Amino acid sequence: MRYRSQVHTLALVAAALSFLGGATVARAEDTPPHSGVQIELNALQDQGGACRLSFLATNARNTDIEEAVYEIVLFDRSGGVMMLTLFDFRDLPAGRPRVRQFDLPETACADVGRVLLNGASRCQSAGESTICEEALSLSSRTDVELLG
């Protein structure tokens, strides 16, 4: 009889823990989406002697960004700096995703190891000069890491 009682108690504890885990997941889903600029390195493709980097950029703010230029550092596979350059993401309307592509002449995509977004070189928006860097979220769908 005592064995049945312990099994029943364990079943109740497992059910309670399962319920609490579900509550935790529900709260995580209720958190608001990212509220800054989201930049994803979406693809790298060799294109006629150049490496083309494709980015998906989304301005999740309520304010349009009229100009966003980021300083980019590219590292080779061994970790050495390949180049420092500026990528002009142009305008980023509020709440609308944009794809921006940049060609790196005389560069093979296989040579690119990491991409560092070093900061905003220029950022223009109605009233907010830090909107391009504030709450910036970076990710990569490629084997090349995007960091900042």
Side-chain angles (χ1 to χ4, degrees), residues 33-87:
H34 190 273
S35 61
V37 176
Q38 303 160 19
I39 298 177
E40 172 190 271
L41 177 55
N42 187 273
L44 283 88
Q45 180 182 25
D46 288 307
Q47 190 76 26
C51 177
R52 175 170 289 165
L53 283 73
S54 297
F55 292 88
L56 175 64
T58 304
N59 172 8
R61 298 283 189 144
N62 293 329
T63 305
D64 290 343
I65 295 174
E66 296 149 14
E67 180 184 31
V69 179
Y70 290 98
E71 183 178 86
I72 303 292
V73 182
L74 289 109
F75 296 89
D76 62 24
R77 294 281 175 183
S78 66
V81 173
M82 292 174 63
M83 70 177 72
L84 186 129
T85 187
L86 297 175
F87 284 175

Side-chain angles (χ1 to χ4, degrees), residues 124-138:
Q124 288 187 338
S125 178
E128 295 184 59
S129 62
T130 60
I131 192 172
C132 295
E133 290 184 289
E134 200 172 88
L136 183 65
S137 172
L138 304 174

